[in-house]
Amino acid sequence: MKIIEVKLITLHVFIILQIVNVKAQVNPEICRYPLGMNGGQIQDEDISASSHWSESTAARFGRQIVFFHLSREKLLIRLHARLNFDNGDGDGAWCPDVMSEQDGLKEYLQVDLRSLHFITLVGTQGRHADGMGNEFAQKYRIKYSRDGNNWMSWRDRKGGQVIEGNRNAYDIVLKDLEPPIIARFVRFMPVTDHSMIVCMRVELYGCEWLDGLVSYSIPDGHQMIYRGLDVFFNDSVYDGLTSERLTKGLGQLTDGTWGLDDFLHSRIYGMWPGYDYVGWSNKTFPKGYVEMIFDFDHIRNFTSMKVHCNNMVSHRVRVFRQVTCFFRSGSEWEADPVTFRPAVSHMSQSANFVTVPLGDRTAKTIKCRFHFSDLWMLFSEVAFQSGSAVYNTSMNPRKPGHGPNIGPRDDPTHKLDDSNTRILIGCLVAIIAILMTIIVIILWRQVWQKMLEKASRRLLDDELTARLAIQTRAFSFHNSSSSSEGSSTPNSTYERIYPLCADYQEPSRLIRKLPEFAQSMENLGTVSQQKEEPPRSPRRALTASSDGAPHYAEADIISLQESSDGSVHSLTAVNINLFAGNDSSMREFPREKLAFKEKLGEGQFGEVHLCEADGMLDYLDEDLSIEGNSESPVLVAVKTLREDANKNARNDFLKEIRIMFRLRDPNIVRLLAVCVDTDPLCMITEYMENGDLNQFLCGLRLKKAVDEEKEEKEDGKDMVSYTKLIDMAVQIASGMKYLSSLNFVHRDLATRNCLVGKNYTIKIADFGMSRNLYRGDYYRIQGRAVLPIRWMSWESILLGKFTMASDVWAFGVTLWEILTLCKEQPYSQLSDEQVIENTGEFFRDQGKQVYLPKPPCCPDGVYSDLMLSCWKRNAKQRPSFEKIHTQLKESLA
Ligand code: AMP
């Protein structure tokens, strides 16, 4: 529908533009293009002169430099450049030899335009010669010729020949030629009193004379006495021979000025009554017609003739009754003339063009007999259309292309046909109005759609009270620690270093591709003090090279910004329980008792090493059972902060220590002790022999159901049963149940962040992204947060909201990983962009969202009742970890 509308409008616009652009007769208002003295289209050989002062002031240097609207200073600079450019051997102007005659009739600068042109304007300029010259023509005349033999002096409408020229050597002076000239050759003839040397640069403006008419021959016009008033209908600007009949010239009928409806008034100020028209009285033409002969530059194929006629019936002036045109290409007139009778309106008294079809007749001369239909016949313009020649009102019709058109004159000497103009303007206004209406409707629809979507989102997810207009509240949990500890200024930039592997993406960049969120993400604002750090620890514990898993790839390092929002840092009672106190139970372990054994991996803060901790058992709380005896060293994992870590990273490291120290659950990795008295800071955690769950599962194969009890290996890989897998998931659910009891949101639950100990013991680790979200202290994505988008709920990605329910979403994905034995990345067939788009589909909830497929080993009930329920759009409808835990356990029963 819209396309059709647009096409129709385009068509209309096109048609109208065509009407506007293509005119059958020359319009002096438009025909004002520089003809090429300045632009170079006029060749040097076409510029000649009667004489020149020296070689450096020869005719070819008489090209005007056109720098309109330039200040004098700028003009000087441009002139300077131009002079240097084109006058390596010249002084930048034509200067004739010493002017020998008082009126300057002898000296001229001549331009050959190579074809007939309608010239409406001339420009002149003096010689500056880079400050060395000060010559210019104060006055000049113009002569012109159509054939190079017959020269006519240009006269203004009152007969004056001298044109006022320049007053200084810099400025360009433009003069309208009233009447315009139709010529091929033009001569500029300086007029001087010998008091100064004269130099000139010139330019001509106009367009090609497409009519091709070189002369018309008509009976001279008559005089009317109207109520005692003399009204002259003579052709006052005719440039040919004038006697009883005007011959070999052009005049008012080709000057581009169309008479007014009332012939008593003229378009041109100060002219006498009847000036615009050439007219004849019936009384002196006994045959009842006026004969006109039109001579053309060459044989042409004529399609039509347009005659602008007055039709002031009340004054006994009427459009001709009939016209008969004869054609001649050689010496004889052809026998079959064309006769045309215009449909004359008796009602309208307005002057108008009458189009006479000439039937594509070929001729070099046309003779037309215009028959009277009343006492008077008045013509103001006659134009011919031949071949495909048309005047284009928007482009310079002269070939090749020229500079910009010099705008219409200020004085309203000429006008387009009023009625046509009014229609065209009306059409254009109508089209603009239609277009505006369409645009408004489209915009309104979009706004309305957005409003609906927003409203439905509120209804469906009424817990989401957070607005999309996001302040600079930090995505990074590190802010709260920093701030609460008073160790960070609100605006300080925290550089959170993440290894950017395929599991972590920069959603803000991707979300921008979702149309309804593009704006929202704009609102998220740019990070005020974001900065990037060069890579320091380029690998996660598992890399593509180390385990072959493609989604744990080596990656860049990115940074996150610290929050400036104080509200995030306020701690609740529960938080205080979690974080407060003097950490009396947190024991400093003597680092010299740590014996390095091997490197286990590398994380966000630094490296993780396997160490023997001598005497560790003495440091442990009673509740902690760990293998070993007080004599033998205990194996521990030691996470060390990089030495080059900045203050914020250090604070975050300490914060993670505090968090972990308070978390005590069989399915949460236990922090045993710390080394924080001196650098490098270390946290000592229990050692999980089988590394992270992702890596662990990758190396396993699924047992068939019948072989559940068998311990076996296949292809060198250990086998694992479905029951064991579910058991692992139960353990994770149990650990998450514990965290949820503390209102503690992990934010990065995935197999990669779970560790595997002996006997398939699973413990949740990596609290790098975790934060307590009690009382709805939402964390929002901001800046260049790099997030595990394939594990994240739609609201975490789109709204930056992390809750227990979003942890449940991640648990669903983790369960899927477990049951597929981490053989592929979630949504592996989707690009990151497509994952974000899919997130948009979850948001839109139109049934187009793609869910992770049911793993082959997964029973339908577990998939539909549990896994899919973790990915419910409405966060409230997702199960709690308590329920998940129960459900999973029951599913094994
Ligand atoms: P993290 O900095 O916590 O992400 O740890 C990086 C990597 O070190 C993990 O992916 C594990 O492979 C390994 N790792 C971390 N902690 C332990 C641990 N307690 N026991 C065994 N391996 C660990």
CSV table of all heavy atoms in Angstrom, one decimal, residues 540-542 600-606 608 636-637 639 656 669 685-692 695 752-753 755-756 765-766, ligand 1:
chain,number,residue,atom,x,y,z
A,540,ARG,N,41.3,-17.6,29.4
A,540,ARG,CA,40.5,-18.2,30.5
A,540,ARG,C,41.2,-19.5,30.8
A,540,ARG,O,42.2,-19.9,30.1
A,540,ARG,CB,39.1,-18.5,30.0
A,540,ARG,CG,38.2,-17.3,30.1
A,540,ARG,CD,36.8,-17.7,29.9
A,540,ARG,NE,36.3,-18.5,31.0
A,540,ARG,CZ,35.8,-18.1,32.2
A,540,ARG,NH1,35.9,-16.8,32.4
A,540,ARG,NH2,35.4,-18.9,33.1
A,541,ALA,N,40.7,-20.1,31.8
A,541,ALA,CA,41.3,-21.4,32.2
A,541,ALA,C,41.3,-22.3,31.1
A,541,ALA,O,42.3,-23.1,30.8
A,541,ALA,CB,40.6,-21.9,33.4
A,542,LEU,N,40.2,-22.3,30.4
A,542,LEU,CA,40.1,-23.2,29.2
A,542,LEU,C,40.1,-22.4,28.0
A,542,LEU,O,39.4,-21.5,27.8
A,542,LEU,CB,38.8,-24.0,29.3
A,542,LEU,CG,38.6,-24.9,30.5
A,542,LEU,CD1,37.3,-25.6,30.5
A,542,LEU,CD2,39.7,-26.0,30.4
A,600,LEU,N,46.6,-24.3,37.6
A,600,LEU,CA,45.3,-24.9,37.3
A,600,LEU,C,44.6,-24.1,36.2
A,600,LEU,O,43.8,-24.6,35.4
A,600,LEU,CB,44.4,-24.9,38.5
A,600,LEU,CG,44.9,-25.9,39.6
A,600,LEU,CD1,44.1,-25.6,40.9
A,600,LEU,CD2,44.8,-27.3,39.2
A,601,GLY,N,44.8,-22.9,36.2
A,601,GLY,CA,44.1,-22.1,35.2
A,601,GLY,C,44.3,-20.6,35.4
A,601,GLY,O,45.2,-20.2,36.2
A,602,GLU,N,43.6,-19.8,34.6
A,602,GLU,CA,43.8,-18.4,34.7
A,602,GLU,C,42.4,-17.7,34.7
A,602,GLU,O,41.5,-18.1,33.9
A,602,GLU,CB,44.6,-17.9,33.5
A,602,GLU,CG,45.2,-16.5,33.7
A,602,GLU,CD,46.2,-16.3,32.6
A,602,GLU,OE1,47.0,-17.2,32.4
A,602,GLU,OE2,46.2,-15.2,32.1
A,603,GLY,N,42.2,-16.8,35.6
A,603,GLY,CA,40.9,-16.2,35.7
A,603,GLY,C,41.0,-14.7,35.5
A,603,GLY,O,42.0,-14.1,35.1
A,604,GLN,N,39.9,-14.0,36.0
A,604,GLN,CA,39.9,-12.5,35.7
A,604,GLN,C,40.9,-11.8,36.6
A,604,GLN,O,41.3,-10.7,36.2
A,604,GLN,CB,38.5,-12.1,36.1
A,604,GLN,CG,38.1,-12.2,37.5
A,604,GLN,CD,36.7,-12.0,37.8
A,604,GLN,OE1,35.8,-12.6,37.1
A,604,GLN,NE2,36.4,-11.2,38.7
A,605,PHE,N,41.2,-12.3,37.7
A,605,PHE,CA,42.1,-11.6,38.6
A,605,PHE,C,43.6,-12.0,38.4
A,605,PHE,O,44.5,-11.2,38.8
A,605,PHE,CB,41.8,-11.8,40.1
A,605,PHE,CG,40.4,-11.2,40.5
A,605,PHE,CD1,39.4,-12.0,40.8
A,605,PHE,CD2,40.3,-9.8,40.4
A,605,PHE,CE1,38.2,-11.4,41.2
A,605,PHE,CE2,39.1,-9.3,40.8
A,605,PHE,CZ,38.0,-10.0,41.1
A,606,GLY,N,43.8,-13.2,38.0
A,606,GLY,CA,45.1,-13.7,37.9
A,606,GLY,C,45.1,-15.2,37.7
A,606,GLY,O,44.2,-15.7,37.2
A,608,VAL,N,45.4,-19.3,38.8
A,608,VAL,CA,45.0,-20.2,39.9
A,608,VAL,C,46.0,-21.3,39.9
A,608,VAL,O,46.3,-21.9,38.8
A,608,VAL,CB,43.6,-20.7,39.6
A,608,VAL,CG1,43.2,-21.6,40.8
A,608,VAL,CG2,42.6,-19.6,39.4
A,636,VAL,N,45.5,-27.4,47.9
A,636,VAL,CA,44.5,-26.3,47.8
A,636,VAL,C,44.7,-25.6,46.5
A,636,VAL,O,45.7,-25.7,45.8
A,636,VAL,CB,44.8,-25.2,48.9
A,636,VAL,CG1,44.4,-25.8,50.3
A,636,VAL,CG2,46.2,-24.7,48.9
A,637,ALA,N,43.7,-24.8,46.1
A,637,ALA,CA,43.8,-24.0,44.9
A,637,ALA,C,44.0,-22.6,45.4
A,637,ALA,O,43.3,-22.1,46.3
A,637,ALA,CB,42.5,-24.0,44.1
A,639,LYS,N,44.3,-18.7,44.3
A,639,LYS,CA,44.0,-17.7,43.3
A,639,LYS,C,44.8,-16.5,43.7
A,639,LYS,O,44.7,-15.9,44.8
A,639,LYS,CB,42.5,-17.4,43.3
A,639,LYS,CG,42.0,-16.8,42.1
A,639,LYS,CD,40.5,-16.5,42.2
A,639,LYS,CE,39.6,-17.4,41.5
A,639,LYS,NZ,38.2,-17.0,41.5
A,656,GLU,N,35.6,-10.2,46.8
A,656,GLU,CA,35.2,-11.6,46.5
A,656,GLU,C,35.6,-12.5,47.6
A,656,GLU,O,34.9,-13.4,48.0
A,656,GLU,CB,35.8,-12.0,45.2
A,656,GLU,CG,35.3,-13.4,44.8
A,656,GLU,CD,35.7,-13.9,43.4
A,656,GLU,OE1,36.5,-13.1,42.7
A,656,GLU,OE2,35.2,-14.9,42.9
A,669,VAL,N,32.0,-23.5,46.5
A,669,VAL,CA,33.4,-23.6,46.7
A,669,VAL,C,33.8,-22.9,47.9
A,669,VAL,O,33.4,-21.7,48.1
A,669,VAL,CB,34.3,-23.2,45.5
A,669,VAL,CG1,35.7,-23.1,45.8
A,669,VAL,CG2,34.1,-24.1,44.3
A,685,THR,N,41.4,-21.6,48.2
A,685,THR,CA,40.1,-22.3,48.2
A,685,THR,C,40.4,-23.8,48.2
A,685,THR,O,41.5,-24.3,47.9
A,685,THR,CB,39.2,-22.0,47.0
A,685,THR,OG1,39.9,-22.4,45.8
A,685,THR,CG2,39.0,-20.5,46.9
A,686,GLU,N,39.3,-24.5,48.5
A,686,GLU,CA,39.5,-26.0,48.4
A,686,GLU,C,39.8,-26.4,47.0
A,686,GLU,O,39.3,-25.8,46.0
A,686,GLU,CB,38.2,-26.7,48.9
A,686,GLU,CG,36.9,-26.3,48.2
A,686,GLU,CD,35.7,-26.9,48.8
A,686,GLU,OE1,35.7,-28.2,49.1
A,686,GLU,OE2,34.7,-26.2,49.1
A,687,TYR,N,40.5,-27.4,46.9
A,687,TYR,CA,40.9,-27.9,45.5
A,687,TYR,C,39.9,-28.8,45.0
A,687,TYR,O,39.5,-29.8,45.7
A,687,TYR,CB,42.3,-28.5,45.6
A,687,TYR,CG,42.7,-29.2,44.4
A,687,TYR,CD1,42.8,-28.6,43.2
A,687,TYR,CD2,43.1,-30.6,44.4
A,687,TYR,CE1,43.2,-29.2,42.0
A,687,TYR,CE2,43.5,-31.3,43.2
A,687,TYR,CZ,43.5,-30.6,42.0
A,687,TYR,OH,43.9,-31.2,40.9
A,688,MET,N,39.5,-28.6,43.8
A,688,MET,CA,38.5,-29.5,43.1
A,688,MET,C,39.3,-30.2,42.0
A,688,MET,O,39.6,-29.6,41.0
A,688,MET,CB,37.4,-28.6,42.5
A,688,MET,CG,36.6,-27.8,43.6
A,688,MET,SD,35.8,-28.7,44.8
A,688,MET,CE,34.3,-29.2,43.9
A,689,GLU,N,39.5,-31.5,42.3
A,689,GLU,CA,40.4,-32.3,41.5
A,689,GLU,C,40.0,-32.3,40.0
A,689,GLU,O,40.9,-32.4,39.1
A,689,GLU,CB,40.4,-33.7,42.0
A,689,GLU,CG,41.1,-33.9,43.3
A,689,GLU,CD,40.1,-33.7,44.4
A,689,GLU,OE1,39.0,-33.0,44.2
A,689,GLU,OE2,40.4,-34.1,45.6
A,690,ASN,N,38.8,-32.3,39.7
A,690,ASN,CA,38.4,-32.5,38.3
A,690,ASN,C,38.1,-31.2,37.5
A,690,ASN,O,37.5,-31.2,36.4
A,690,ASN,CB,37.2,-33.4,38.2
A,690,ASN,CG,37.5,-34.8,38.6
A,690,ASN,OD1,38.4,-35.4,38.0
A,690,ASN,ND2,36.9,-35.3,39.6
A,691,GLY,N,38.6,-30.1,38.1
A,691,GLY,CA,38.5,-28.8,37.3
A,691,GLY,C,37.1,-28.4,37.1
A,691,GLY,O,36.2,-28.7,37.9
A,692,ASP,N,36.9,-27.6,36.1
A,692,ASP,CA,35.6,-27.0,35.9
A,692,ASP,C,34.7,-28.0,35.2
A,692,ASP,O,35.1,-28.9,34.5
A,692,ASP,CB,35.6,-25.6,35.3
A,692,ASP,CG,35.9,-25.7,33.8
A,692,ASP,OD1,35.2,-26.3,33.1
A,692,ASP,OD2,37.0,-25.2,33.5
A,695,GLN,N,34.7,-28.4,31.2
A,695,GLN,CA,35.8,-29.2,30.8
A,695,GLN,C,35.6,-30.7,31.1
A,695,GLN,O,35.9,-31.6,30.3
A,695,GLN,CB,37.1,-28.7,31.4
A,695,GLN,CG,38.4,-29.3,30.9
A,695,GLN,CD,39.5,-28.9,31.8
A,695,GLN,OE1,39.4,-28.6,33.0
A,695,GLN,NE2,40.7,-28.9,31.3
A,752,ARG,N,30.9,-23.7,33.2
A,752,ARG,CA,32.3,-23.3,33.3
A,752,ARG,C,32.6,-22.7,34.7
A,752,ARG,O,33.8,-22.6,35.0
A,752,ARG,CB,32.6,-22.2,32.2
A,752,ARG,CG,31.8,-21.0,32.4
A,752,ARG,CD,32.1,-19.9,31.3
A,752,ARG,NE,31.1,-18.9,31.4
A,752,ARG,CZ,29.9,-18.9,30.8
A,752,ARG,NH1,29.6,-19.9,30.0
A,752,ARG,NH2,29.1,-17.9,31.0
A,753,ASN,N,31.6,-22.3,35.4
A,753,ASN,CA,31.8,-21.7,36.7
A,753,ASN,C,31.4,-22.7,37.8
A,753,ASN,O,31.2,-22.2,39.0
A,753,ASN,CB,31.0,-20.4,36.8
A,753,ASN,CG,31.6,-19.3,35.9
A,753,ASN,OD1,32.9,-19.3,35.7
A,753,ASN,ND2,30.8,-18.5,35.4
A,755,LEU,N,32.8,-26.2,39.7
A,755,LEU,CA,34.0,-27.1,39.8
A,755,LEU,C,33.6,-28.5,40.2
A,755,LEU,O,32.5,-28.7,40.9
A,755,LEU,CB,34.9,-26.5,40.8
A,755,LEU,CG,35.5,-25.1,40.4
A,755,LEU,CD1,36.3,-24.5,41.6
A,755,LEU,CD2,36.4,-25.2,39.2
A,756,VAL,N,34.4,-29.4,39.8
A,756,VAL,CA,34.1,-30.8,40.0
A,756,VAL,C,35.2,-31.4,40.9
A,756,VAL,O,36.4,-31.4,40.6
A,756,VAL,CB,34.0,-31.6,38.7
A,756,VAL,CG1,33.5,-33.0,39.0
A,756,VAL,CG2,33.1,-30.9,37.7
A,765,ALA,N,31.3,-22.0,41.8
A,765,ALA,CA,32.5,-21.1,42.0
A,765,ALA,C,32.3,-19.8,41.2
A,765,ALA,O,31.2,-19.6,40.7
A,765,ALA,CB,33.8,-21.8,41.6
A,766,ASP,N,33.4,-19.1,41.2
A,766,ASP,CA,33.4,-17.9,40.3
A,766,ASP,C,32.3,-16.9,40.7
A,766,ASP,O,31.3,-16.8,40.0
A,766,ASP,CB,33.4,-18.3,38.8
A,766,ASP,CG,34.2,-17.3,38.1
A,766,ASP,OD1,34.2,-16.1,38.4
A,766,ASP,OD2,34.9,-17.7,37.1
B,1,AMP,P1,38.5,-18.6,38.0
B,1,AMP,O1,39.5,-17.5,38.1
B,1,AMP,O2,37.8,-18.9,39.3
B,1,AMP,O3,37.6,-18.5,36.9
B,1,AMP,O4,39.4,-19.9,37.8
B,1,AMP,C1,40.1,-20.2,36.6
B,1,AMP,C2,40.2,-21.7,36.4
B,1,AMP,O5,41.0,-22.2,37.4
B,1,AMP,C3,38.9,-22.5,36.5
B,1,AMP,O6,38.3,-22.5,35.2
B,1,AMP,C4,39.4,-23.8,36.9
B,1,AMP,O7,39.7,-24.6,35.8
B,1,AMP,C5,40.6,-23.5,37.7
B,1,AMP,N1,40.2,-23.5,39.1
B,1,AMP,C6,39.8,-22.4,39.8
B,1,AMP,N2,39.5,-22.8,41.1
B,1,AMP,C7,39.8,-24.0,41.2
B,1,AMP,C8,39.7,-25.0,42.3
B,1,AMP,N3,39.3,-24.6,43.5
B,1,AMP,N4,40.1,-26.2,42.0
B,1,AMP,C9,40.5,-26.6,40.9
B,1,AMP,N5,40.6,-25.8,39.8
B,1,AMP,C10,40.2,-24.5,40.0
